[in-house]
Amino acid sequence: MNEQASTAGVQDAEVVIVGGGPVGMGLAIELGQRGVRTVVAERYAQPQPIPKGQNLTQRTMEHFHFWRAEKQLRAARTIPAEYGIGGLTAHGTLLGPHTYDWLQRDLVRPYYFTGNERLPQYATEAVLRQRVAQLPSVQALYGWEAKAVDQHADGASVVLGQRDGSGGERTLCCAYVVGCDGARSLVREQAGITQTRTDHDRMMVLLVFRSHGLHELLQRYPGKSYYNVLQPELQGYWKFFGRVDLGSTWFFHAPVPPGTTKDNFDFAAYLQEAVGAPFDIEFQHIGFWDLRFMLADRYRQGRVFVAGDAAHSHPPYGGYGVNSGLEDARNLGWKLAALLQGWGGEPLLDSYDGERRPVFASTMRDFIARSIETDRQFLEQHDPARDLPAFEAAWQARAQGAVGEVHAFEPHYEGSPVVWGGEGRGPSAMGRHQFEARPGHHLAPAVLASGGNVFEALGPGFSLLAFEGAATADAVQAFLGAAAALGLPLTVVQAAGEGEHRRYGAPLVLVRPDQFVAWVGQPAEASGALAGQVLSRAAGLPARAPAQGVVQV
């Protein structure tokens, strides 16, 4: 890399990522594994030891599988593997009589290739940094932060400065810039990307503390790693406890009165009141943040993109934040690679905003904000001291509703302009888990007759699943011919006879590089012309006539 400004027309990288938290590092891996020359600039030399972003969903763990870091991530877990990572909701206090299991993500485990995981974000970041170091096409610059971002018709540039104040500065020229630099994103601001914010007028505290006594008190809830307490005076907002390890270290966040500081509030009493018993407390960190929702009004401005907290932020309720950000990285990464390598078009890059922004808007509206409002209404209407039977009936109904929430959170891209089928609908976080292959939805796993899983056979580009043997032979040739004419990478996965692949409900399924379904169909309709149209749409390319010699069915 050049220490001074690069010569005009010479690029230091194809993509510069500003911000090397989980989202920035995940994007760097996605790009690096695809051979895209990438620089990621991260202001901190080491991951910051604040235990946030701990719950990683089954879908997120699929990313780590494809990033070849799943084994390393699970090995970095700070809670023993034999101990559960479930959640619990309590009314009044953690030790009170009214509790139920919460956020039971194991209920949707069959629809994903990998199981979920839980570990502090700094441990996740360490694993991602190790993987980045193995990729020759990625350079990580630690201790550098962005000072300015600019773009023009043929490229973009980022001015970096050394965070230690030593005065070092460098300018990197590139094709695209991605801001993964958090809720106060300089990249977003300098690109002119506005945001819509919804303040909830709540000051929140984040406490990190050590306590062996709390571990002893909560052993009555085996296999639980996070707990939220509902209290009427909080009006639907939570007091939330989470394990950092097993037995000693915890984090806690909850609303506090405006003007609260480290010195004018009894945090130990606040914790003990939420639990319902005294216990030992040794504080390691006390910090504050404002509870608000933010959504960027667009995720792309020319050659500049935003992802993760730079694109969207919300209260840390339900474990949606880091998982949404890592899905941004998977979605954007393969699309940038496709365009840079000549097999994707500009509409493909536009589809990043068209797919991911509506999904997060739905996540914010239909899950997080709705949860706060639902809890507020429940606490207003039901009180065990006033009418215990009515409260207990409503409490049990809430427990069943918690099950439904897990099943209903199924982000999809129905109606996306790069998906064939589902027109008239739009991307959303609200859906329904199914094994059936549906355009715009995540592909469920399936064991093949060989004993392997479909997910182990998917290629780095598009993959065509063909499940009827000779009946799909002509269709396979049509897609291979169309892919060759378009210059698209296409892997064919074939299976015949009985097996779990029958659950897909179609003999032909086109799968995108991010494991979402681009098209499903029947052999009789899969002509060379249709194959070309389907692949062109999926890659954001202009529709082309089939090349000479392509098999027509």
Side-chain angles (χ1 to χ4, degrees), residues 44-90:
Y44 292 113
Q46 300 295 331
Q48 298 302 287
I50 304 299
K52 56 183 180 178
Q54 299 210 63
N55 285 317
L56 303 180
T57 64
Q58 292 101 338
R59 170 58 181 160
T60 290
M61 293 306 296
E62 289 180 352
H63 305 330
F64 281 88
H65 166 78
F66 286 103
W67 291 337
R68 303 166 202 165
E70 181 189 359
K71 181 179 179 181
Q72 293 82 352
L73 188 77
R74 295 195 189 279
R77 180 175 175 167
T78 54
I79 295 175
E82 62 271 15
Y83 189 85
I85 51 176
L88 179 123
T89 293

Side-chain angles (χ1 to χ4, degrees), residues 61 75 127 141 189 194 200 204 241 257 277 304 346 397 456 459 482 514 517:
M61 293 306 296
V127 171
L141 301 176
E189 178 182 329
T194 56
H200 277 235
M204 306 288 288
F241 292 83
V304 179
E346 282 292 332
E456 297 170 299
D514 59 356
V517 176

Side-chain angles (χ1 to χ4, degrees), residues 466-477 494-496 502 507-508 521-526 553:
F467 296 135
E468 294 292 344
T472 58
D474 288 345
V476 168
Q477 290 305 309
Q494 294 181 302
R502 294 283 186 181
L508 294 168
Q522 300 293 326
E525 63 181 318
V553 179

Side-chain angles (χ1 to χ4, degrees), residues 234-366:
L234 297 185
Q235 298 180 326
Y237 300 98
W238 300 345
K239 292 182 177 179
F240 186 93
F241 292 83
R243 294 182 182 272
V244 178
D245 55 32
L246 185 59
S248 61
T249 312
W250 306 79
F251 73 91
F252 171 86
H253 58 73
V256 291
T260 298
T261 69
K262 295 180 180 180
D263 304 315
N264 67 4
F265 192 84
D266 190 344
F267 295 108
Y270 200 46
L271 289 168
Q272 292 168 348
E273 183 271 336
V275 172
F279 56 92
D280 61 297
I281 301 170
E282 177 189 343
F283 289 111
Q284 296 183 311
H285 172 83
I286 301 175
F288 302 94
W289 49 278
D290 295 322
L291 191 153
R292 63 168 60 96
F293 295 96
M294 183 281 287
L295 181 63
D297 294 322
R298 55 189 181 279
Y299 283 10
R300 179 188 187 186
Q301 179 64 37
R303 293 181 173 271
V304 179
F305 298 81
V306 289
D309 285 353
H312 47 75
S313 59
H314 62 84
Y317 287 13
Y320 296 107
V322 69
N323 296 293
S324 294
L326 290 170
E327 194 68 55
D328 292 344
R330 284 301 305 282
N331 188 290
L332 178 59
W334 76 268
K335 294 175 179 179
L336 279 169
L339 186 133
L340 289 165
Q341 293 167 358
W343 54 274
E346 282 292 332
L348 187 64
L349 291 188
D350 289 336
S351 74
Y352 167 63
D353 173 274
E355 292 181 346
R356 293 302 303 152
R357 199 162 59 87
V359 164
F360 190 80
S362 172
T363 301
M364 187 169 64
R365 177 186 65 248
D366 299 325

